[in-house]
Every structure is written in C-alpha cells, then in structure tokens.
Amino acid sequence: MREVYVLGVGLHPFGRFGDKDVIEIGREAVTNALRDAGIPWERVGAAYCGTVFAGPMGGNKVLAKVGLTGIPIMNVENACASGGSALRAAYQAIAGDFCDVALAFGMEKMPRGFIAGNPNDWFAGMGLAVNPQYFALKARWHMANFGTSEDQLVQVSVKNHRNGALNPFAMYRKEMSFEEIANSPMVNDPLRLLMLCAPNEGGAAVVLSTREVARQQSTELIKLAATVLGSPLYGTAEVPHISVSARVEAPTVTMTAAKEAYELAGIGPEDLDLVELQDTDSASEIIYSEELGLCERGEGGKLLDDGATEINGRIPVNVSGGLLSKGEPLGASALAQVAEVVWQLRGEAGSRQVKDARVGLTHVYGALGNCAVSVLQR
Amino acid sequence: MREVYVLGVGLHPFGRFGDKDVIEIGREAVTNALRDAGIPWERVGAAYCGTVFAGPMGGNKVLAKVGLTGIPIMNVENACASGGSALRAAYQAIAGDFCDVALAFGMEKMPRGFIAGNPNDWFAGMGLAVNPQYFALKARWHMANFGTSEDQLVQVSVKNHRNGALNPFAMYRKEMSFEEIANSPMVNDPLRLLMLCAPNEGGAAVVLSTREVARQQSTELIKLAATVLGSPLYGTAEVPHISVSARVEAPTVTMTAAKEAYELAGIGPEDLDLVELQDTDSASEIIYSEELGLCERGEGGKLLDDGATEINGRIPVNVSGGLLSKGEPLGASALAQVAEVVWQLRGEAGSRQVKDARVGLTHVYGALGNCAVSVLQR
C-alpha cells in the first residue's frame, strides 16, 4: 500500500451566506485547495465529494465549474462523517494505486430547523427527534457517572470561542464570556444555546497525492498516516455482536476507530500535538477527549480544568475553534479539521499556532454511529 | 493490484410495492446476495450503498437490519450511476487490499413525477426539465444522421419486453406487441410511453472478494475484470479540454469509459457474449450499442434489425429485459445488471440463458455524464 500525502488544503469560510449557491461555495474551497497544492485541475485523477444537502450530483456540479477531465467523480453522503468519508475514499484511491492525485471536498448549505429523526422511528415517537436531545442525554450520563459539572460545559465553549476568535474561517469570530454562555437560553438541559454548534454553510477541500508527487511540490511533507471509517458493533437483535448487557462497557465507535487509526499510524494518543474533534456540543468535547485516549474515562473535565486542551496546553483540542465556533456544514466539517491540522503542522496557523506541532488527529462522529478518524504527521 | 471476484448476487424484484419501506427492499437484496455468496454478514469487511432517494444514511439503516460489525459503511449518490459507483468503490476495497470481502448494494423507491432538472439552470428555463426531453433530442439526432427509424425504436422495446417476460425480477413481465408500443401515447417525439423506462422501486446487491476467498466458496469463479467510472471531458468554458467545435466528433463518456474497461480487462467488444446497457429509452439502446463498440457508429439500428442483439444473436443486449422492462431504481440498476451477467456466466439464467456465455459487460449512464462500465468474465 502506498503512502499518502496532503498536497494542499482550502476552505470556504463557515457561516451563513444568504442566497450564495452551495455549488459556488464548493468551487471556492476546491479552487483554494488546488492553489495551495500548486497544481492545475487537470492533474486530479479522482474526486470525492461529501455532502448531505447539496442535492444530487453536487460534486459533479462543482467540478463542472472547476474543470472536467473525465475522471471518476463520486458523491458521498455519510451524515456528519460525509467529509471524512470522502477523505477516506480519496486516501484509498492513492494508497491503492488507482491514481496519483485525488481530491476530497465537501460543501453544505444546511437547512434551518430540519428534523434529523424519522418520525416513524420509535425514539422519534418518544420525542427524541432533534440532535440536542441525544447530546443532552449523553451529557447527563457523563455528569452522573463522572461528576462533570455545568461549569465545565461552559468552559469548553469559552475555550473554543476564544480559539475561534483567532480563526478567519470561523462563523463566530469573537470571544464569549463565561456569563454570556452560562446565561444563554436552555435548549436541552444541561445544554444551553451557546454550548451547541450551529448547522450552517461552508466548504472545504483536501488534495492528496503519492509521496513522489508531494516531493515534487514541496520539501515539507505532510503525511496522511491513517484515515479510518468506523460504524457500530451491535450485530442484530437476534445475533448480537456485543451483548446488550455488555454495551455499556463496550468500546464506542470513536474508541475502536481511534484504536485502528493509532495502529495504522504507528503512534499512540500520547504522541499527538493537537486534536480537532466533534464538539457538536460542549459535553461531546469532554466525552470524545476521553474516547480518543487523551485522558482516562471520566477525566475529560479535569483535562479541561488543567488547561491541557488550551492552545499552549499538553494536548490542544479544537484550536480552530471547533464546531462550536465554526458551525457544522456536514460535508465540509472533517475536511476543515484536516485543513486546520495541516496549517498547524506547517506552522502557518498564525495567532493560534501550536508550538512545534508534528502530529495531529481529526475526528467526526454522527448519525447512526458513523465515525471518521484521521492522523496527520510531518 | 489484487484480482476481484463476484462471490454472490441478489435482487429485490423491480416494480412498485406500495408502502413497503425502501430499507426493507435493500435488506432483502443484501440478504439474498449474502445467501448466494454462502457467507454470513460477519465476513463483510466494507460496504458501499448506492442510492439517490433512500434518504440520509440509507445504507447504514439497511445494515442495521442485516448485522453491524463496525466496518466502514459509505453511502454513494451518483444519479443513474449510483449503483455502479458503489460497485467500483467495493472493487477498489478488494483490489487495493483494504479488505477481503466487500458488499455493494443499492435500493430505491423513486418518487413519481419528480423533475430532474434544476429550474435555475438555463436549459430547464428553456423547457428541458425532464429526462425524456433529452432522450428525444438524442433520438432525433440519431435518426437525422444515421437513418434510424421509428420502427426500430419500437423493435428495441418489443425485444426487451420479450426478454423481460422471462425475468421474474422485471417490473413488466409480459410481452408487448409492435402495435401496442407503436400506438402508445407520444411523450416526447419520437419517444412513446412504452419506449421509456419507468423510474420505480427495487434493490440489488453484489458481494465481491479476493480470489482466495472466492476459491474457498466455489470452483466456478466469476471475475470482475474491470469497473470504470467516467465523467465528461469538457474542461471549462475558459479552458476547454475538448474544443466546442470538436465535441460533436469527440468520444462520449460511454466511449471513453468502455475503452478503459476493455483495456483493463484485456479484451475488446468482439469478445463479449452479452451486454446489459442503459436503455432508459429505445433510442439509447441503439446509441449505446454503437458507443460500446458492438458495431460501428450509425449501425445500431442495423444490428437490431439483423437480430444480433437477441438472446440467441451474435451479441445479446439486455437479455434481462433491460430498464425498459425492469424499470430504473437508480441505486439498484447497475448492480442488477451485474446480477444478470453473473447468472448468465454461471448458466443459471433459465429460459433467457445465453448459450455458453463467458464474458459480459454492464453499462449505466446518467445525469451530468456519470458513466459506469464493468466487465465480468468466467
């Protein structure tokens, strides 16, 4: 299997952009990534577009504006992991020797007020129809079991907005005070409005290549050392893969995907210099910090309190501002995490630069347990 | 790159099934393919679901009913080539050494009366909003240039319905007379109602594996010798890849994808024993017969008149009944073509069996020029 390198990254800012066409949002991200890679569109050998709401053939419509060369173009829909899935497909195109330069991109113009749950599902019938309801249940579980406090939930959001204020691509480019967040409207107890990320608009793109092509373009190589797509281990009701009674103790999809990514990259969580993870809400950052192995289970709140996840801490988390300050355009989200890590590894992150960052991890997790984890190294 | 083999195929019948859930349609196809492969769901190492209308995470919902084992699950949307794109992704998972058994499946419950065109596109503004309008333009072009007759358009549909009457999975399982088709209502001149395929419902699944796994399961191996996904070669308005004036003479996406597939498989069109191709309408079968190299450009009507494309002809086309008798559930369509070819190569096609079939080709082509071509060999 061939090694895979990041040749370039590009974003369209995250936010809300009125009537701006989602295809144009995608085009700008792709154009920026190609410019960063220093290659013309004619060199791309395969393209994978992650999107949920751009409509049929969204990726083809973007590339029709960038330049069509007859290459395979595939549109990928994997909810919150759409961008991460497109990245993995592009990774495999290079690693498996199907082409030498591959493009992963994603863009979204999220509808407002949409309902994620299917009204025919039993849990939606019970009233569990929108995401913050699930997030709140997980938050309460963590608080009950590990003593995580409402103050800590506020502090996650304080930190990520402080970071996001330094990120020109973030939606909320301003700090928010503890009081502002703690007094924002309650959405689903214990999660308040400013502890939840906004489904919004944006685009991101990543150009991958072989080592040979990457060396022609640059002397500073960024390796995509692993990219893993995981799903749940439940089996079926009749033939459980993990018994129902064992599920509480069983590893989560984030845990199993991270374990596989660490093994593929030949590293452990202790080797990481920064992490971009799925902070759809404040509690998720604490929970996934644990599941990714940045600390023991139940220690996520302490990790935060100790300042370890700050930009200058032991293991900076969401230095980009995370989803809490950027918002979450599903198809672009994971690819924007990769862009942030690449800028950090190159030393190009300006006022939010993590000192001497060499290894970074990205993580998205979403509907039905799809989870994408990647490891980048310089 | 490793060789890839078809371990099993399975369908859910094509047609219209009232309130039956699209996820259940997909589940039945997957279960049938796994049974045909002779392996339990626990052995599948990666899964790719092609669908346009099943809604977010459709593939994950199907596999939640079949059995969840933590594997990568990716949902692919590529319009008419959705199933073909899922097949290619599964092919690459095996060929690229990412897993030993991969599943491609697709299912659809097509909405009735949907408009394919975006009302904001200039051609939709001109009134070109539904597919039969494009098909009719291509048909008229072919008639004007090569003398293809309305009678020949009728005969394509007569042949495919005669074949479809022999296929228990087809939507219309009955023969239709020349008069019945020739007198059916005009939809878009020269295409009449019974010369157009129905967007409908159905499911299909294909299990792929390495040669090693395939040999453990069977002594009669069916090789997926090539699977290609192509897109247009147009470049951009500013930087054309093919000049506008050259486009009339330039190879179509079907031509370039077929050429690549033949090269990968090490064969030519003269080696084919049967072809399943994108007969969304009668004229398309004639046009794609030419573009796939079954005859010279302009000779498609003659190929039909000579009886060459009949089940017992020189190069049988759409012995399954094609889309004209099966209908077109986008995500399942290409995978059902593969199932037909596999049955034919195994000698399991009953009353529509092509004598001693050894090599078959499948072809889908759809919106924005996505085209998937595969070659299967025993």
Side-chain angles (χ1 to χ4, degrees):
Chain A
M1 214 165 295
R2 303 194 296 180
E3 293 187 338
V4 179
Y5 290 81
V6 180
L7 211 56
V9 294
L11 298 189
H12 179 286
F14 286 17
R16 294 207 175 93
F17 304 98
D19 290 338
K20 187 168 188 177
D21 185 24
V22 66
I23 303 304
E24 176 58 19
I25 288 174
R27 189 199 65 77
E28 288 182 31
V30 169
T31 302
N32 289 340
L34 290 171
R35 187 183 305 120
D36 186 53
I39 58 161
W41 48 266
E42 291 94 332
R43 297 263 324 257
V44 175
Y48 302 89
C49 173
T51 188
V52 181
F53 294 103
M57 311 298 285
N60 300 65
K61 291 174 185 168
V62 168
L63 294 180
K65 291 191 161 199
V66 174
L68 290 171
T69 56
I71 60 169
I73 303 171
M74 196 160 87
N75 297 281
V76 175
E77 181 279 305
N78 259 15
C80 296
S82 294
S85 299
L87 181 75
R88 178 174 171 276
Y91 169 92
Q92 294 196 341
I94 305 291
D97 203 4
F98 301 105
C99 66
D100 292 339
V101 177
L103 171 68
F105 65 108
M107 65 285 175
E108 216 73 75
K109 207 171 172 81
M110 304 281 291
R112 302 196 69 165
F114 83 101
I115 305 295
N118 178 342
N120 295 323
D121 293 333
W122 65 266
F123 44 89
M126 286 174 65
L128 286 167
V130 295
N131 287 330
Q133 298 172 317
Y134 301 98
F135 303 159
L137 285 175
K138 284 173 83 168
R140 276 284 167 216
W141 165 81
H142 203 269
M143 293 167 85
N145 278 275
F146 307 114
T148 301
S149 67
E150 292 193 36
D151 278 7
Q152 286 169 332
L153 300 184
V154 176
Q155 290 293 5
V156 169
S157 194
V158 169
K159 169 181 74 69
N160 288 1
H161 281 103
R162 191 161 56 228
N163 295 346
L166 306 173
N167 183 353
F169 293 99
M171 179 174 182
Y172 302 112
R173 288 188 298 279
K174 58 170 187 152
E175 298 198 20
M176 291 190 190
S177 71
F178 185 97
E179 291 68 30
E180 202 175 348
I181 295 162
N183 294 321
S184 66
M186 184 65 80
V187 176
N188 278 96
D189 189 7
L191 299 175
R192 294 174 181 274
L193 187 63
L194 296 180
M195 299 174 187
L196 291 160
C197 82
N200 63 350
E201 305 171 15
V206 175
V207 183
L208 301 179
S209 78
T210 58
R211 182 179 174 83
E212 193 183 359
V213 173
R215 288 189 64 177
Q216 290 160 2
Q217 297 299 121
S218 172
T219 52
E220 288 248 335
L221 302 194
I222 308 283
K223 184 175 171 183
L224 180 54
T227 182
V228 170
L229 179 61
S231 65
L233 276 165
Y234 297 161
T236 66
E238 298 74 26
V239 188
H241 214 67
I242 299 173
S243 73
V244 174
S245 59
R247 280 189 199 178
V248 174
E249 301 299 324
T252 65
V253 184
T254 291
M255 288 178 187
T256 54
K259 183 166 180 283
E260 190 182 339
Y262 290 136
E263 284 170 7
L264 285 170
I267 63 160
E270 66 280 4
D271 297 311
L272 297 173
D273 296 313
L274 78 153
V275 170
E276 292 281 307
L277 58 74
Q278 180 85 5
D279 60 327
T280 34
D281 61 285
S282 288
S284 286
E285 175 163 315
I286 291 174
I287 294 168
Y288 295 134
S289 294
E290 300 169 6
E291 295 188 3
L292 292 169
L294 311 186
C295 60
E296 295 295 313
R297 175 59 98 192
E299 301 288 318
K302 185 171 182 302
L303 192 76
L304 176 83
D305 288 343
D306 291 349
T309 58
E310 300 280 348
I311 290 178
N312 59 0
R314 176 174 70 76
I315 176 62
V317 171
N318 288 329
V319 293
S320 69
L323 279 52
L324 284 171
S325 86
K326 287 186 296 189
E328 190 195 15
L330 304 179
S333 177
L335 298 167
Q337 292 178 332
V338 169
E340 177 69 18
V341 170
V342 166
W343 289 326
Q344 292 283 349
L345 299 189
R346 287 182 187 159
E348 295 175 355
S351 55
R352 64 185 192 284
Q353 179 67 46
V354 174
K355 192 157 172 272
D356 196 32
R358 302 188 66 86
V359 187
L361 177 144
T362 67
H363 161 265
V364 288
Y365 175 86
L368 303 194
N370 264 342
C371 176
V373 175
S374 297
V375 174
L376 296 126
Q377 294 173 314
R378 78 165 157 97
Chain B
M1 216 166 294
R2 304 194 296 180
E3 293 187 339
V4 180
Y5 291 81
V6 180
L7 211 57
V9 295
L11 297 189
H12 178 287
F14 285 16
R16 294 206 176 94
F17 304 97
D19 290 337
K20 188 168 187 175
D21 185 26
V22 66
I23 302 305
E24 176 59 19
I25 288 174
R27 189 198 66 77
E28 288 182 33
V30 169
T31 302
N32 289 340
L34 290 171
R35 187 183 303 119
D36 186 52
I39 58 159
W41 48 264
E42 290 94 332
R43 297 257 331 251
V44 174
Y48 302 89
C49 173
T51 189
V52 181
F53 294 104
M57 312 299 285
N60 300 63
K61 290 175 185 168
V62 168
L63 294 179
K65 290 190 162 200
V66 174
L68 291 172
T69 55
I71 60 170
I73 304 170
M74 197 161 85
N75 298 281
V76 175
E77 182 279 306
N78 259 16
C80 295
S82 294
S85 299
L87 181 75
R88 177 175 172 275
Y91 169 91
Q92 293 196 342
I94 306 289
D97 203 4
F98 299 105
C99 65
D100 292 340
V101 177
L103 171 68
F105 64 107
M107 65 284 175
E108 217 73 76
K109 206 172 173 80
M110 304 280 292
R112 302 194 69 164
F114 83 100
I115 305 296
N118 178 342
N120 295 324
D121 292 333
W122 65 267
F123 43 89
M126 285 175 66
L128 286 167
V130 296
N131 287 330
Q133 298 172 318
Y134 301 98
F135 303 158
L137 285 175
K138 283 173 83 169
R140 276 282 166 219
W141 166 81
H142 203 268
M143 293 167 85
N145 279 276
F146 308 114
T148 301
S149 67
E150 292 193 36
D151 277 8
Q152 286 170 330
L153 299 184
V154 176
Q155 290 292 6
V156 169
S157 193
V158 169
K159 170 180 74 68
N160 289 0
H161 281 104
R162 189 160 58 229
N163 295 346
L166 306 174
N167 184 354
F169 293 99
M171 179 173 182
Y172 303 111
R173 289 189 296 278
K174 58 170 188 153
E175 298 196 20
M176 290 189 190
S177 70
F178 185 97
E179 290 69 28
E180 202 174 349
I181 295 163
N183 295 320
S184 65
M186 185 64 81
V187 176
N188 277 97
D189 190 7
L191 299 176
R192 294 173 182 274
L193 187 63
L194 296 180
M195 300 173 185
L196 291 161
C197 81
N200 63 350
E201 306 171 15
V206 176
V207 183
L208 301 180
S209 77
T210 58
R211 182 178 175 83
E212 192 183 1
V213 173
R215 288 190 64 179
Q216 290 161 1
Q217 297 299 120
S218 172
T219 51
E220 289 247 337
L221 302 194
I222 308 283
K223 184 176 171 180
L224 180 54
T227 182
V228 171
L229 178 61
S231 65
L233 276 165
Y234 296 161
T236 65
E238 297 76 25
V239 187
H241 214 68
I242 299 172
S243 74
V244 173
S245 59
R247 280 189 200 178
V248 174
E249 302 298 325
T252 66
V253 184
T254 292
M255 289 177 185
T256 54
K259 182 165 181 283
E260 190 183 338
Y262 290 136
E263 284 171 5
L264 284 170
I267 64 161
E270 65 281 2
D271 298 310
L272 296 174
D273 296 311
L274 78 153
V275 170
E276 292 282 307
L277 59 72
Q278 180 84 5
D279 60 328
T280 32
D281 62 284
S282 288
S284 286
E285 176 163 313
I286 292 173
I287 294 169
Y288 296 134
S289 294
E290 300 168 6
E291 296 188 2
L292 293 169
L294 311 186
C295 60
E296 294 296 312
R297 175 60 98 192
E299 301 288 318
K302 184 170 182 304
L303 192 76
L304 176 83
D305 288 344
D306 291 349
T309 58
E310 300 280 348
I311 290 177
N312 60 0
R314 176 175 69 76
I315 175 63
V317 172
N318 288 330
V319 293
S320 70
L323 278 51
L324 284 171
S325 87
K326 287 187 297 188
E328 190 195 15
L330 304 180
S333 178
L335 298 167
Q337 293 179 331
V338 170
E340 177 69 18
V341 170
V342 167
W343 290 326
Q344 293 282 350
L345 299 190
R346 286 182 187 159
E348 296 175 354
S351 55
R352 64 184 192 284
Q353 180 67 45
V354 174
K355 191 156 172 273
D356 196 32
R358 302 189 65 85
V359 186
L361 177 143
T362 68
H363 161 266
V364 287
Y365 175 85
L368 303 195
N370 264 341
C371 176
V373 175
S374 297
V375 174
L376 296 125
Q377 295 173 313
R378 76 166 159 98

